[in-house]
Amino acid sequence: MKKIKVGVAGYGVIGQRLADGVALQDDMELVGVADVAPTLSVRALKEKGMPYKLFTAMPDNTAALDEAGIPISGSLEDLVQQVDIMLDATSAGIGLKNKEIYKKYGKKAVFQGGEKNTVADVFFHGYANYEKGLGADYLKLTSCNTTGLIRAVDCLDREVGAEKVAITIIRRVADPGDYHRGLTNALKIDKAPSHQAVDLMTIMPHVEATGILIHTPVTHGHIITVVLTPKKDISVDEAIAIFEKHPRIRVVSIDEGFLGNASLFRYARDLGNPRGDMYEIALWKDSVVKSGKDLMFAINIPQESVVIPENIDAIRAAMEMQSDRESGTSETNKYLGIGTWKK
């Protein structure tokens, strides 16, 4: 079996998780990762024995990498020439610049949610529009919140149809270990509608969506409350049963001890998941209620790791490894071990 060769640009919060995710796929080969400086993530890579080759995305910084004793296998352009497709997890705006390198060598690429939609041919989600990504040269993923939100909405939409959704996002202000947002004791509200609602409509144009976003001074995940109007009236128990069938949705309850975002982060660590990551979103069965025909529920978004499966899906679609969403997402789930806890 010919393995698809993959490179990762940007070895930060998302990039290192993408590298780990690709390395777990039996039908893919991680050629290497690229970064610009001896960051903590790169230093940790060295201390772990360099399981992945490192390429420098900024040759002018080679001296700093050499001084830190970090071996370099070449430049970003060298990496691009050796792969079939790149996963670009660089800071917003850098991906657009890197695209010129990918185009120069005729290589496909997948960009993250921070890039503008115009960077790609397809705004992609593994479950909601997998087939639109088939054979595409450039795909862009949705943000972490939008990725998890679409999983839940698409899940119900495929079973009973969804007319409209209204969301409130309680958004963590920064990732664990980040200091750039400062030390705060405040909540901050954005203008409505939130981009996640707009992005959902871009992926699922048949669903009317709107939303509000509130920034909170926490780090371990977002919580989204959703009010969804189904086309077919269903009970709470029927809705929960639909959610429970989805491999990337973990249905939990307060009675089990899942009191909030921190409970889920701790549980992921207790499971032994690297970095406390969890690929699934969590949905509280205790939160599923009805108001007339409308369904309301709450989900938890593990922002550092939730988009990894959809990135792998994007590789499968772009390289036409599997031709439909069911087989493509199933392969990704199998190698990442997603859904095994349900069996």
Side-chain angles (χ1 to χ4, degrees):
M1 176 181 65
K2 180 182 181 295
K3 293 189 176 185
I4 298 299
K5 295 184 177 182
V6 184
V8 175
Y11 193 69
V13 171
I14 300 298
Q16 58 186 306
R17 290 168 169 83
L18 289 176
D20 291 351
V22 171
L24 290 171
Q25 309 297 304
D26 281 357
D27 50 3
M28 300 179 191
E29 175 190 343
L30 179 68
V31 176
V33 301
D35 213 304
V36 297
T39 62
L40 290 182
S41 298
V42 172
R43 291 175 184 274
L45 182 68
K46 180 209 170 190
E47 191 167 330
K48 289 190 290 186
M50 296 301 293
Y52 313 135
K53 290 181 180 179
L54 178 71
F55 295 75
T56 177
M58 191 178 292
D60 291 346
N61 276 5
T62 300
L65 291 164
D66 287 340
E67 186 177 343
I70 297 166
I72 301 169
S73 297
S75 67
L76 173 60
E77 290 205 29
D78 292 328
L79 173 60
V80 172
Q81 292 177 71
Q82 296 177 40
V83 304
D84 299 307
I85 187 168
M86 287 292 299
L87 295 179
D88 195 296
T90 56
S91 301
I94 304 300
L96 181 61
K97 296 178 181 178
N98 287 345
K99 184 180 177 181
E100 294 306 310
I101 300 175
Y102 309 148
K103 289 172 65 177
K104 177 181 177 180
Y105 295 104
K107 300 303 171 73
K108 296 175 182 280
V110 178
F111 301 93
Q112 304 309 302
E115 292 293 329
K116 293 183 178 179
N117 291 357
T118 52
V119 77
D121 308 318
V122 178
F123 199 15
F124 181 83
H125 189 280
Y127 277 85
N129 68 348
Y130 181 93
E131 285 79 8
K132 284 192 175 181
L134 289 173
D137 288 331
Y138 304 108
L139 297 85
K140 187 183 102 77
L141 271 290
T142 54
S143 69
C144 55
N145 270 316
T146 312
T147 298
L149 173 65
I150 290 177
R151 283 185 198 169
V153 174
D154 176 72
C155 176
L156 285 175
D157 183 47
R158 289 181 183 275
E159 292 284 339
V160 298
E163 290 182 7
K164 60 183 180 179
V165 296
I167 62 173
T168 300
I169 300 177
I170 305 153
R171 184 186 189 277
R172 69 93 182 93
V173 71
D175 288 329
D178 283 350
Y179 291 90
H180 66 283
R181 298 293 174 93
L183 306 175
T184 61
N185 182 28
L187 301 178
K188 179 174 177 286
I189 188 168
D190 280 358
K191 292 180 179 179
S194 67
H195 82 79
Q196 291 84 0
V198 175
D199 289 348
L200 183 145
M201 287 190 289
T202 304
I203 297 283
M204 304 177 68
H206 58 286
V207 178
E208 183 182 346
T210 191
I212 293 172
L213 186 147
I214 300 168
H215 300 268
T216 60
V218 299
T219 61
H220 291 140
H222 318 282
I223 290 178
I224 306 178
T225 64
V226 182
V227 178
L228 183 147
T229 304
K231 291 182 178 178
K232 174 187 173 184
D233 193 11
I234 58 172
S235 69
V236 166
D237 288 342
E238 287 172 325
I240 291 172
I242 291 170
F243 289 132
E244 286 178 331
K245 290 191 296 183
H246 198 294
R248 295 183 192 172
I249 297 177
R250 180 184 288 262
V251 177
V252 301
S253 74
I254 294 170
D255 290 341
E256 293 170 330
F258 293 102
L259 306 182
N261 60 332
S263 303
L264 285 151
F265 184 75
R266 174 182 171 177
Y267 192 63
R269 289 186 298 173
D270 289 346
L271 287 171
N273 294 355
R275 306 183 186 92
D277 289 346
M278 191 172 283
Y279 295 128
E280 306 96 340
I281 62 170
L283 185 146
W284 279 275
K285 65 171 61 175
D286 328 68
S287 73
V288 185
V289 292
K290 292 190 69 176
S291 176
K293 184 180 176 182
D294 292 348
L295 283 165
M296 185 176 185
F297 55 90
I299 57 178
N300 181 80
I301 309 292
Q303 79 280 358
E304 297 175 295
S305 51
V306 69
V307 300
I308 306 308
E310 278 74 10
N311 270 270
I312 306 298
D313 298 338
I315 296 173
R316 297 185 178 282
M319 300 306 301
E320 299 183 89
M321 299 172 71
Q322 287 82 35
S323 61
D324 62 274
R325 66 181 281 277
E326 186 62 40
S327 56
T329 57
S330 293
E331 285 296 288
T332 298
N333 293 344
K334 178 177 70 175
Y335 293 126
L336 292 180
I338 293 173
T340 55
W341 66 280
K342 299 189 180 192
K343 298 176 181 178

